[in-house]
């Protein structure tokens, strides 16, 4: 029984060591990738290219007939599924 316990503890420590080494390597690779991305890929200012909601509504105005059709479809759906 003592030999079985010794083998079990050795196997446990070996497994925990392998998992620990894998996690350390994973953290190192993730940090390396973050450094490479920050260094080699330029940051884009998304606020300059994004339209504000007021601009989006005014440039893409929905015609009144489409609004009426959508309203009628929603009303019909709600009446059907009460």
């Amino acid at each position: 029984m003592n030999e079985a316990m010794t083998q079990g503890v050795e196997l446990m420590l070996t497994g925990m060591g392998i998992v620990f080494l894998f996690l350390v390597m994973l953290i190192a690779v993730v940090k390396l990738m973050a450094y490479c991305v920050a260094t080699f890929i330029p940051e884009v200012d998304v606020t300059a290219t994004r339209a504000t909601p007021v601009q989006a509504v005014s440039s893409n105005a929905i015609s009144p007939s489409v609004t009426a059709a959508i309203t009628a479809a929603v009303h019909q759906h709600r009446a059907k599924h009460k």
Side-chain angles (χ1 to χ4, degrees):
M1 178 87 171
N2 194 12
E3 185 179 330
M5 286 294 286
T6 304
Q7 286 180 344
V9 169
E10 287 177 5
L11 182 63
M12 178 189 68
L13 292 175
T14 303
M16 289 175 67
I18 290 172
V19 169
F20 179 76
L21 288 175
F22 173 77
L23 291 175
V24 168
M25 289 189 316
L26 181 67
I27 290 170
V29 168
V30 167
K31 287 188 179 211
L32 177 67
M33 288 298 297
Y35 172 77
C36 290
V37 167
T39 303
F40 298 118
I41 298 178
E43 189 171 329
V44 178
D45 186 19
V46 294
T47 58
T49 59
R50 191 178 294 169
T52 61
V54 174
Q55 291 171 338
V57 170
S58 64
S59 65
N60 298 328
I62 300 173
S63 66
S65 60
V66 172
T67 304
I70 292 172
T71 305
V74 169
H75 180 69
Q76 183 180 6
H77 176 75
R78 287 183 179 166
K80 185 188 248 185
H81 294 286
K82 272 193 175 180

